[in-house]
PDB file of all heavy atoms in Angstrom:
ATOM      1  N   GLY A  36     104.588  89.608  76.653  1.00 96.00           N
ATOM      2  CA  GLY A  36     105.816  88.928  77.037  1.00 96.00           C
ATOM      3  C   GLY A  36     107.040  89.750  76.729  1.00 96.00           C
ATOM      4  O   GLY A  36     107.000  90.977  76.638  1.00 96.00           O
ATOM      5  N   ILE A  37     108.128  89.039  76.535  1.00 98.00           N
ATOM      6  CA  ILE A  37     109.430  89.637  76.222  1.00 98.00           C
ATOM      7  C   ILE A  37     109.789  89.215  74.805  1.00 98.00           C
ATOM      8  O   ILE A  37     109.605  88.054  74.431  1.00 98.00           O
ATOM      9  CB  ILE A  37     110.501  89.148  77.221  1.00 98.00           C
ATOM     10  CG1 ILE A  37     110.169  89.653  78.638  1.00 98.00           C
ATOM     11  CG2 ILE A  37     111.896  89.587  76.791  1.00 98.00           C
ATOM     12  CD1 ILE A  37     111.017  89.037  79.724  1.00 98.00           C
ATOM     13  N   LEU A  38     110.294  90.147  74.024  1.00 98.00           N
ATOM     14  CA  LEU A  38     110.704  89.868  72.649  1.00 98.00           C
ATOM     15  C   LEU A  38     112.158  90.244  72.458  1.00 98.00           C
ATOM     16  O   LEU A  38     112.595  91.311  72.892  1.00 98.00           O
ATOM     17  CB  LEU A  38     109.847  90.678  71.666  1.00 98.00           C
ATOM     18  CG  LEU A  38     110.276  90.631  70.192  1.00 98.00           C
ATOM     19  CD1 LEU A  38     110.014  89.250  69.591  1.00 98.00           C
ATOM     20  CD2 LEU A  38     109.557  91.711  69.383  1.00 98.00           C
ATOM     21  N   PHE A  39     112.894  89.370  71.766  1.00 98.00           N
ATOM     22  CA  PHE A  39     114.234  89.689  71.279  1.00 98.00           C
ATOM     23  C   PHE A  39     114.128  89.755  69.767  1.00 98.00           C
ATOM     24  O   PHE A  39     113.724  88.786  69.119  1.00 98.00           O
ATOM     25  CB  PHE A  39     115.251  88.618  71.692  1.00 98.00           C
ATOM     26  CG  PHE A  39     115.478  88.570  73.174  1.00 98.00           C
ATOM     27  CD1 PHE A  39     114.878  87.586  73.940  1.00 98.00           C
ATOM     28  CD2 PHE A  39     116.285  89.512  73.798  1.00 98.00           C
ATOM     29  CE1 PHE A  39     115.080  87.538  75.313  1.00 98.00           C
ATOM     30  CE2 PHE A  39     116.484  89.476  75.176  1.00 98.00           C
ATOM     31  CZ  PHE A  39     115.880  88.484  75.921  1.00 98.00           C
ATOM     32  N   ASP A  40     114.491  90.909  69.196  1.00 98.00           N
ATOM     33  CA  ASP A  40     114.342  91.103  67.758  1.00 98.00           C
ATOM     34  C   ASP A  40     115.354  92.142  67.288  1.00 98.00           C
ATOM     35  O   ASP A  40     115.583  93.140  67.969  1.00 98.00           O
ATOM     36  CB  ASP A  40     112.913  91.578  67.447  1.00 98.00           C
ATOM     37  CG  ASP A  40     112.515  91.385  66.007  1.00 98.00           C
ATOM     38  OD1 ASP A  40     113.236  91.889  65.116  1.00 98.00           O
ATOM     39  OD2 ASP A  40     111.476  90.751  65.770  1.00 98.00           O
ATOM     40  N   ASP A  41     115.934  91.915  66.119  1.00 98.00           N
ATOM     41  CA  ASP A  41     116.917  92.854  65.589  1.00 98.00           C
ATOM     42  C   ASP A  41     116.273  94.059  64.917  1.00 98.00           C
ATOM     43  O   ASP A  41     116.942  95.054  64.692  1.00 98.00           O
ATOM     44  CB  ASP A  41     117.861  92.149  64.608  1.00 98.00           C
ATOM     45  CG  ASP A  41     117.145  91.606  63.388  1.00 98.00           C
ATOM     46  OD1 ASP A  41     116.145  90.874  63.568  1.00 98.00           O
ATOM     47  OD2 ASP A  41     117.575  91.895  62.251  1.00 98.00           O
ATOM     48  N   GLU A  42     114.989  93.993  64.606  1.00 97.00           N
ATOM     49  CA  GLU A  42     114.322  95.105  63.920  1.00 97.00           C
ATOM     50  C   GLU A  42     113.749  96.107  64.911  1.00 97.00           C
ATOM     51  O   GLU A  42     112.898  95.762  65.741  1.00 97.00           O
ATOM     52  CB  GLU A  42     113.205  94.590  63.011  1.00 97.00           C
ATOM     53  CG  GLU A  42     113.751  93.889  61.802  1.00 97.00           C
ATOM     54  CD  GLU A  42     112.932  94.122  60.564  1.00 97.00           C
ATOM     55  OE1 GLU A  42     112.103  95.059  60.520  1.00 97.00           O
ATOM     56  OE2 GLU A  42     113.133  93.352  59.627  1.00 97.00           O
ATOM     57  N   GLU A  43     114.185  97.347  64.787  1.00 97.00           N
ATOM     58  CA  GLU A  43     113.756  98.399  65.710  1.00 97.00           C
ATOM     59  C   GLU A  43     112.239  98.597  65.690  1.00 97.00           C
ATOM     60  O   GLU A  43     111.618  98.775  66.732  1.00 97.00           O
ATOM     61  CB  GLU A  43     114.469  99.706  65.377  1.00 97.00           C
ATOM     62  CG  GLU A  43     114.154 100.824  66.337  1.00 97.00           C
ATOM     63  CD  GLU A  43     114.915 102.100  66.036  1.00 97.00           C
ATOM     64  OE1 GLU A  43     115.591 102.182  64.991  1.00 97.00           O
ATOM     65  OE2 GLU A  43     114.834 103.031  66.871  1.00 97.00           O
ATOM     66  N   ARG A  44     111.633  98.563  64.511  1.00 96.00           N
ATOM     67  CA  ARG A  44     110.184  98.752  64.418  1.00 96.00           C
ATOM     68  C   ARG A  44     109.433  97.684  65.219  1.00 96.00           C
ATOM     69  O   ARG A  44     108.480  97.982  65.936  1.00 96.00           O
ATOM     70  CB  ARG A  44     109.726  98.716  62.963  1.00 96.00           C
ATOM     71  CG  ARG A  44     108.231  98.998  62.813  1.00 96.00           C
ATOM     72  CD  ARG A  44     107.757  98.795  61.405  1.00 96.00           C
ATOM     73  NE  ARG A  44     107.755  97.350  61.151  1.00 96.00           N
ATOM     74  CZ  ARG A  44     107.683  96.801  59.952  1.00 96.00           C
ATOM     75  NH1 ARG A  44     107.631  97.547  58.893  1.00 96.00           N
ATOM     76  NH2 ARG A  44     107.660  95.496  59.813  1.00 96.00           N
ATOM     77  N   ASN A  45     109.887  96.443  65.128  1.00 97.00           N
ATOM     78  CA  ASN A  45     109.246  95.372  65.896  1.00 97.00           C
ATOM     79  C   ASN A  45     109.392  95.610  67.392  1.00 97.00           C
ATOM     80  O   ASN A  45     108.446  95.411  68.152  1.00 97.00           O
ATOM     81  CB  ASN A  45     109.827  94.007  65.530  1.00 97.00           C
ATOM     82  CG  ASN A  45     109.417  93.556  64.150  1.00 97.00           C
ATOM     83  OD1 ASN A  45     108.350  93.921  63.658  1.00 97.00           O
ATOM     84  ND2 ASN A  45     110.257  92.766  63.516  1.00 97.00           N
ATOM     85  N   ARG A  46     110.567  96.037  67.809  1.00 97.00           N
ATOM     86  CA  ARG A  46     110.784  96.311  69.235  1.00 97.00           C
ATOM     87  C   ARG A  46     109.920  97.479  69.699  1.00 97.00           C
ATOM     88  O   ARG A  46     109.310  97.412  70.773  1.00 97.00           O
ATOM     89  CB  ARG A  46     112.264  96.587  69.522  1.00 97.00           C
ATOM     90  CG  ARG A  46     113.161  95.382  69.351  1.00 97.00           C
ATOM     91  CD  ARG A  46     114.566  95.617  69.900  1.00 97.00           C
ATOM     92  NE  ARG A  46     115.176  96.860  69.460  1.00 97.00           N
ATOM     93  CZ  ARG A  46     115.901  97.003  68.355  1.00 97.00           C
ATOM     94  NH1 ARG A  46     116.114  95.969  67.557  1.00 97.00           N
ATOM     95  NH2 ARG A  46     116.444  98.166  68.053  1.00 97.00           N
ATOM     96  N   ASN A  47     109.861  98.543  68.908  1.00 97.00           N
ATOM     97  CA  ASN A  47     109.053  99.709  69.296  1.00 97.00           C
ATOM     98  C   ASN A  47     107.578  99.351  69.414  1.00 97.00           C
ATOM     99  O   ASN A  47     106.918  99.729  70.387  1.00 97.00           O
ATOM    100  CB  ASN A  47     109.245 100.848  68.294  1.00 97.00           C
ATOM    101  CG  ASN A  47     110.615 101.486  68.405  1.00 97.00           C
ATOM    102  OD1 ASN A  47     111.308 101.340  69.401  1.00 97.00           O
ATOM    103  ND2 ASN A  47     111.019 102.179  67.355  1.00 97.00           N
ATOM    104  N   ASP A  48     107.051  98.627  68.430  1.00 97.00           N
ATOM    105  CA  ASP A  48     105.643  98.209  68.485  1.00 97.00           C
ATOM    106  C   ASP A  48     105.403  97.305  69.687  1.00 97.00           C
ATOM    107  O   ASP A  48     104.397  97.439  70.382  1.00 97.00           O
ATOM    108  CB  ASP A  48     105.243  97.461  67.206  1.00 97.00           C
ATOM    109  CG  ASP A  48     105.074  98.383  66.013  1.00 97.00           C
ATOM    110  OD1 ASP A  48     105.054  99.616  66.199  1.00 97.00           O
ATOM    111  OD2 ASP A  48     104.968  97.852  64.883  1.00 97.00           O
ATOM    112  N   TRP A  49     106.306  96.378  69.927  1.00 97.00           N
ATOM    113  CA  TRP A  49     106.161  95.454  71.052  1.00 97.00           C
ATOM    114  C   TRP A  49     106.141  96.224  72.371  1.00 97.00           C
ATOM    115  O   TRP A  49     105.319  95.952  73.247  1.00 97.00           O
ATOM    116  CB  TRP A  49     107.301  94.438  71.039  1.00 97.00           C
ATOM    117  CG  TRP A  49     107.082  93.281  71.950  1.00 97.00           C
ATOM    118  CD1 TRP A  49     107.369  93.225  73.296  1.00 97.00           C
ATOM    119  CD2 TRP A  49     106.531  92.010  71.620  1.00 97.00           C
ATOM    120  NE1 TRP A  49     107.038  91.994  73.804  1.00 97.00           N
ATOM    121  CE2 TRP A  49     106.520  91.230  72.797  1.00 97.00           C
ATOM    122  CE3 TRP A  49     106.054  91.451  70.440  1.00 97.00           C
ATOM    123  CZ2 TRP A  49     106.058  89.927  72.821  1.00 97.00           C
ATOM    124  CZ3 TRP A  49     105.598  90.150  70.461  1.00 97.00           C
ATOM    125  CH2 TRP A  49     105.591  89.410  71.651  1.00 97.00           C
ATOM    126  N   ASN A  50     107.057  97.169  72.517  1.00 96.00           N
ATOM    127  CA  ASN A  50     107.109  97.964  73.747  1.00 96.00           C
ATOM    128  C   ASN A  50     105.814  98.745  73.973  1.00 96.00           C
ATOM    129  O   ASN A  50     105.402  98.930  75.114  1.00 96.00           O
ATOM    130  CB  ASN A  50     108.315  98.911  73.731  1.00 96.00           C
ATOM    131  CG  ASN A  50     109.615  98.204  74.017  1.00 96.00           C
ATOM    132  OD1 ASN A  50     109.676  97.246  74.782  1.00 96.00           O
ATOM    133  ND2 ASN A  50     110.691  98.663  73.389  1.00 96.00           N
ATOM    134  N   LYS A  51     105.166  99.186  72.921  1.00 96.00           N
ATOM    135  CA  LYS A  51     103.911  99.930  73.039  1.00 96.00           C
ATOM    136  C   LYS A  51     102.737  99.025  73.398  1.00 96.00           C
ATOM    137  O   LYS A  51     101.862  99.416  74.155  1.00 96.00           O
ATOM    138  CB  LYS A  51     103.572 100.618  71.713  1.00 96.00           C
ATOM    139  CG  LYS A  51     104.322 101.873  71.444  1.00 96.00           C
ATOM    140  CD  LYS A  51     103.795 102.489  70.152  1.00 96.00           C
ATOM    141  CE  LYS A  51     104.876 103.297  69.482  1.00 96.00           C
ATOM    142  NZ  LYS A  51     104.516 103.696  68.138  1.00 96.00           N
ATOM    143  N   PHE A  52     102.704  97.826  72.830  1.00 94.00           N
ATOM    144  CA  PHE A  52     101.493  97.009  72.884  1.00 94.00           C
ATOM    145  C   PHE A  52     101.607  95.676  73.618  1.00 94.00           C
ATOM    146  O   PHE A  52     100.584  95.079  73.944  1.00 94.00           O
ATOM    147  CB  PHE A  52     101.002  96.708  71.458  1.00 94.00           C
ATOM    148  CG  PHE A  52     100.721  97.929  70.647  1.00 94.00           C
ATOM    149  CD1 PHE A  52     101.515  98.255  69.566  1.00 94.00           C
ATOM    150  CD2 PHE A  52      99.660  98.769  70.969  1.00 94.00           C
ATOM    151  CE1 PHE A  52     101.259  99.389  68.803  1.00 94.00           C
ATOM    152  CE2 PHE A  52      99.397  99.909  70.212  1.00 94.00           C
ATOM    153  CZ  PHE A  52     100.200 100.224  69.137  1.00 94.00           C
ATOM    154  N   ALA A  53     102.822  95.170  73.857  1.00 91.00           N
ATOM    155  CA  ALA A  53     102.895  93.770  74.278  1.00 91.00           C
ATOM    156  C   ALA A  53     103.859  93.460  75.418  1.00 91.00           C
ATOM    157  O   ALA A  53     103.927  92.319  75.845  1.00 91.00           O
ATOM    158  CB  ALA A  53     103.253  92.892  73.077  1.00 91.00           C
ATOM    159  N   GLY A  54     104.625  94.404  75.879  1.00 92.00           N
ATOM    160  CA  GLY A  54     105.564  94.074  76.952  1.00 92.00           C
ATOM    161  C   GLY A  54     106.892  94.768  76.774  1.00 92.00           C
ATOM    162  O   GLY A  54     106.947  95.951  76.483  1.00 92.00           O
ATOM    163  N   MET A  55     107.958  94.002  76.912  1.00 97.00           N
ATOM    164  CA  MET A  55     109.308  94.556  76.800  1.00 97.00           C
ATOM    165  C   MET A  55     110.025  93.885  75.641  1.00 97.00           C
ATOM    166  O   MET A  55     109.953  92.663  75.484  1.00 97.00           O
ATOM    167  CB  MET A  55     110.097  94.305  78.083  1.00 97.00           C
ATOM    168  CG  MET A  55     109.540  95.027  79.300  1.00 97.00           C
ATOM    169  SD  MET A  55     110.557  94.754  80.783  1.00 97.00           S
ATOM    170  CE  MET A  55     110.273  93.016  81.065  1.00 97.00           C
ATOM    171  N   ALA A  56     110.743  94.682  74.855  1.00 98.00           N
ATOM    172  CA  ALA A  56     111.498  94.162  73.724  1.00 98.00           C
ATOM    173  C   ALA A  56     112.946  94.611  73.828  1.00 98.00           C
ATOM    174  O   ALA A  56     113.231  95.722  74.287  1.00 98.00           O
ATOM    175  CB  ALA A  56     110.890  94.641  72.421  1.00 98.00           C
ATOM    176  N   PHE A  57     113.842  93.726  73.401  1.00 98.00           N
ATOM    177  CA  PHE A  57     115.272  93.975  73.523  1.00 98.00           C
ATOM    178  C   PHE A  57     115.991  93.628  72.226  1.00 98.00           C
ATOM    179  O   PHE A  57     115.559  92.748  71.480  1.00 98.00           O
ATOM    180  CB  PHE A  57     115.873  93.114  74.641  1.00 98.00           C
ATOM    181  CG  PHE A  57     115.286  93.388  75.987  1.00 98.00           C
ATOM    182  CD1 PHE A  57     114.211  92.645  76.453  1.00 98.00           C
ATOM    183  CD2 PHE A  57     115.805  94.385  76.796  1.00 98.00           C
ATOM    184  CE1 PHE A  57     113.649  92.887  77.695  1.00 98.00           C
ATOM    185  CE2 PHE A  57     115.253  94.642  78.046  1.00 98.00           C
ATOM    186  CZ  PHE A  57     114.181  93.887  78.496  1.00 98.00           C
ATOM    187  N   GLU A  58     117.112  94.296  72.016  1.00 98.00           N
ATOM    188  CA  GLU A  58     118.006  93.946  70.923  1.00 98.00           C
ATOM    189  C   GLU A  58     118.663  92.610  71.237  1.00 98.00           C
ATOM    190  O   GLU A  58     118.808  92.235  72.411  1.00 98.00           O
ATOM    191  CB  GLU A  58     119.083  95.014  70.759  1.00 98.00           C
ATOM    192  CG  GLU A  58     118.546  96.351  70.312  1.00 98.00           C
ATOM    193  CD  GLU A  58     119.638  97.393  70.182  1.00 98.00           C
ATOM    194  OE1 GLU A  58     120.660  97.088  69.520  1.00 98.00           O
ATOM    195  OE2 GLU A  58     119.471  98.482  70.743  1.00 98.00           O
ATOM    196  N   PRO A  59     119.118  91.877  70.206  1.00 98.00           N
ATOM    197  CA  PRO A  59     119.747  90.572  70.438  1.00 98.00           C
ATOM    198  C   PRO A  59     120.964  90.613  71.363  1.00 98.00           C
ATOM    199  O   PRO A  59     121.222  89.633  72.065  1.00 98.00           O
ATOM    200  CB  PRO A  59     120.149  90.120  69.030  1.00 98.00           C
ATOM    201  CG  PRO A  59     119.209  90.837  68.126  1.00 98.00           C
ATOM    202  CD  PRO A  59     118.943  92.160  68.789  1.00 98.00           C
ATOM    203  N   CYS A  60     121.671  91.730  71.407  1.00 98.00           N
ATOM    204  CA  CYS A  60     122.866  91.811  72.251  1.00 98.00           C
ATOM    205  C   CYS A  60     122.539  91.687  73.739  1.00 98.00           C
ATOM    206  O   CYS A  60     123.436  91.478  74.561  1.00 98.00           O
ATOM    207  CB  CYS A  60     123.641  93.091  71.972  1.00 98.00           C
ATOM    208  SG  CYS A  60     122.737  94.617  72.329  1.00 98.00           S
ATOM    209  N   HIS A  61     121.269  91.775  74.099  1.00 98.00           N
ATOM    210  CA  HIS A  61     120.867  91.694  75.500  1.00 98.00           C
ATOM    211  C   HIS A  61     120.294  90.326  75.898  1.00 98.00           C
ATOM    212  O   HIS A  61     119.830  90.165  77.027  1.00 98.00           O
ATOM    213  CB  HIS A  61     119.839  92.784  75.820  1.00 98.00           C
ATOM    214  CG  HIS A  61     120.374  94.165  75.650  1.00 98.00           C
ATOM    215  ND1 HIS A  61     121.346  94.700  76.468  1.00 98.00           N
ATOM    216  CD2 HIS A  61     120.091  95.114  74.731  1.00 98.00           C
ATOM    217  CE1 HIS A  61     121.622  95.924  76.066  1.00 98.00           C
ATOM    218  NE2 HIS A  61     120.886  96.201  75.007  1.00 98.00           N
ATOM    219  N   ILE A  62     120.331  89.357  74.996  1.00 98.00           N
ATOM    220  CA  ILE A  62     119.724  88.054  75.278  1.00 98.00           C
ATOM    221  C   ILE A  62     120.316  87.419  76.530  1.00 98.00           C
ATOM    222  O   ILE A  62     119.576  87.051  77.453  1.00 98.00           O
ATOM    223  CB  ILE A  62     119.852  87.103  74.066  1.00 98.00           C
ATOM    224  CG1 ILE A  62     118.958  87.581  72.924  1.00 98.00           C
ATOM    225  CG2 ILE A  62     119.507  85.657  74.464  1.00 98.00           C
ATOM    226  CD1 ILE A  62     119.135  86.822  71.620  1.00 98.00           C
ATOM    227  N   LYS A  63     121.614  87.288  76.567  1.00 96.00           N
ATOM    228  CA  LYS A  63     122.263  86.598  77.691  1.00 96.00           C
ATOM    229  C   LYS A  63     121.947  87.291  79.019  1.00 96.00           C
ATOM    230  O   LYS A  63     121.585  86.642  80.007  1.00 96.00           O
ATOM    231  CB  LYS A  63     123.777  86.549  77.459  1.00 96.00           C
ATOM    232  CG  LYS A  63     124.539  85.798  78.511  1.00 96.00           C
ATOM    233  CD  LYS A  63     126.023  85.753  78.180  1.00 96.00           C
ATOM    234  CE  LYS A  63     126.783  85.047  79.270  1.00 96.00           C
ATOM    235  NZ  LYS A  63     128.223  85.017  79.006  1.00 96.00           N
ATOM    236  N   GLU A  64     122.032  88.606  79.027  1.00 97.00           N
ATOM    237  CA  GLU A  64     121.794  89.405  80.238  1.00 97.00           C
ATOM    238  C   GLU A  64     120.356  89.256  80.741  1.00 97.00           C
ATOM    239  O   GLU A  64     120.109  89.022  81.925  1.00 97.00           O
ATOM    240  CB  GLU A  64     122.110  90.859  79.921  1.00 97.00           C
ATOM    241  CG  GLU A  64     121.729  91.864  80.964  1.00 97.00           C
ATOM    242  CD  GLU A  64     121.877  93.293  80.456  1.00 97.00           C
ATOM    243  OE1 GLU A  64     122.362  93.506  79.327  1.00 97.00           O
ATOM    244  OE2 GLU A  64     121.482  94.191  81.206  1.00 97.00           O
ATOM    245  N   VAL A  65     119.383  89.392  79.845  1.00 97.00           N
ATOM    246  CA  VAL A  65     117.973  89.313  80.237  1.00 97.00           C
ATOM    247  C   VAL A  65     117.618  87.911  80.691  1.00 97.00           C
ATOM    248  O   VAL A  65     116.933  87.736  81.716  1.00 97.00           O
ATOM    249  CB  VAL A  65     117.047  89.790  79.095  1.00 97.00           C
ATOM    250  CG1 VAL A  65     115.582  89.559  79.443  1.00 97.00           C
ATOM    251  CG2 VAL A  65     117.283  91.272  78.805  1.00 97.00           C
ATOM    252  N   LEU A  66     118.095  86.896  79.985  1.00 97.00           N
ATOM    253  CA  LEU A  66     117.812  85.525  80.397  1.00 97.00           C
ATOM    254  C   LEU A  66     118.435  85.213  81.751  1.00 97.00           C
ATOM    255  O   LEU A  66     117.830  84.500  82.568  1.00 97.00           O
ATOM    256  CB  LEU A  66     118.292  84.520  79.350  1.00 97.00           C
ATOM    257  CG  LEU A  66     117.559  84.561  78.007  1.00 97.00           C
ATOM    258  CD1 LEU A  66     118.115  83.498  77.073  1.00 97.00           C
ATOM    259  CD2 LEU A  66     116.064  84.421  78.162  1.00 97.00           C
ATOM    260  N   SER A  67     119.590  85.763  82.035  1.00 96.00           N
ATOM    261  CA  SER A  67     120.219  85.585  83.360  1.00 96.00           C
ATOM    262  C   SER A  67     119.341  86.196  84.445  1.00 96.00           C
ATOM    263  O   SER A  67     119.175  85.595  85.514  1.00 96.00           O
ATOM    264  CB  SER A  67     121.607  86.217  83.395  1.00 96.00           C
ATOM    265  OG  SER A  67     122.495  85.496  82.589  1.00 96.00           O
ATOM    266  N   LEU A  68     118.784  87.385  84.182  1.00 96.00           N
ATOM    267  CA  LEU A  68     117.902  88.006  85.160  1.00 96.00           C
ATOM    268  C   LEU A  68     116.639  87.174  85.376  1.00 96.00           C
ATOM    269  O   LEU A  68     116.157  87.053  86.516  1.00 96.00           O
ATOM    270  CB  LEU A  68     117.517  89.419  84.704  1.00 96.00           C
ATOM    271  CG  LEU A  68     118.629  90.458  84.728  1.00 96.00           C
ATOM    272  CD1 LEU A  68     118.165  91.745  84.056  1.00 96.00           C
ATOM    273  CD2 LEU A  68     119.096  90.713  86.135  1.00 96.00           C
ATOM    274  N   LEU A  69     116.103  86.581  84.326  1.00 96.00           N
ATOM    275  CA  LEU A  69     114.910  85.747  84.449  1.00 96.00           C
ATOM    276  C   LEU A  69     115.195  84.462  85.208  1.00 96.00           C
ATOM    277  O   LEU A  69     114.295  83.875  85.803  1.00 96.00           O
ATOM    278  CB  LEU A  69     114.353  85.403  83.055  1.00 96.00           C
ATOM    279  CG  LEU A  69     113.735  86.539  82.290  1.00 96.00           C
ATOM    280  CD1 LEU A  69     113.399  86.096  80.864  1.00 96.00           C
ATOM    281  CD2 LEU A  69     112.499  87.074  82.986  1.00 96.00           C
ATOM    282  N   ASN A  70     116.444  84.048  85.211  1.00 90.00           N
ATOM    283  CA  ASN A  70     116.815  82.774  85.858  1.00 90.00           C
ATOM    284  C   ASN A  70     117.120  82.958  87.341  1.00 90.00           C
ATOM    285  O   ASN A  70     117.376  81.995  88.042  1.00 90.00           O
ATOM    286  CB  ASN A  70     118.005  82.146  85.131  1.00 90.00           C
ATOM    287  CG  ASN A  70     118.162  80.687  85.488  1.00 90.00           C
ATOM    288  OD1 ASN A  70     117.198  80.011  85.815  1.00 90.00           O
ATOM    289  ND2 ASN A  70     119.378  80.205  85.403  1.00 90.00           N
ATOM    290  N   HIS A  71     117.099  84.182  87.838  1.00 87.00           N
ATOM    291  CA  HIS A  71     117.385  84.403  89.267  1.00 87.00           C
ATOM    292  C   HIS A  71     116.163  84.808  90.036  1.00 87.00           C
ATOM    293  O   HIS A  71     115.158  85.113  89.631  1.00 87.00           O
ATOM    294  CB  HIS A  71     118.492  85.444  89.434  1.00 87.00           C
ATOM    295  CG  HIS A  71     119.819  84.908  89.037  1.00 87.00           C
ATOM    296  ND1 HIS A  71     120.334  85.069  87.790  1.00 87.00           N
ATOM    297  CD2 HIS A  71     120.721  84.133  89.696  1.00 87.00           C
ATOM    298  CE1 HIS A  71     121.504  84.452  87.703  1.00 87.00           C
ATOM    299  NE2 HIS A  71     121.762  83.891  88.851  1.00 87.00           N
TER     300      HIS A  71
END
C-alpha cells in the first residue's frame, strides 16, 4: 500500500518491500490524487 511516515528508515524499507511511502508533508497532495 501507501505509507505516510516521518521516519526515513520506515519510508525506505516500505519503498523496497511494500509499495510507496511519503513524508507527512505530502499527505494532502497524495490523497487528492487518490480522490480523482
Side-chain angles (χ1 to χ4, degrees):
I37 295 170
L38 172 70
F39 293 102
D40 199 305
D41 63 308
E42 288 216 16
E43 184 177 8
R44 184 187 72 196
N45 289 331
R46 292 191 311 271
N47 289 342
D48 286 349
W49 193 275
N50 284 326
K51 281 184 208 169
F52 302 112
M55 295 183 293
F57 299 93
E58 294 179 50
C60 62
H61 297 292
I62 290 173
K63 183 178 178 182
E64 171 189 355
V65 174
L66 294 181
S67 291
L68 290 171
L69 290 172
N70 197 28
H71 288 94

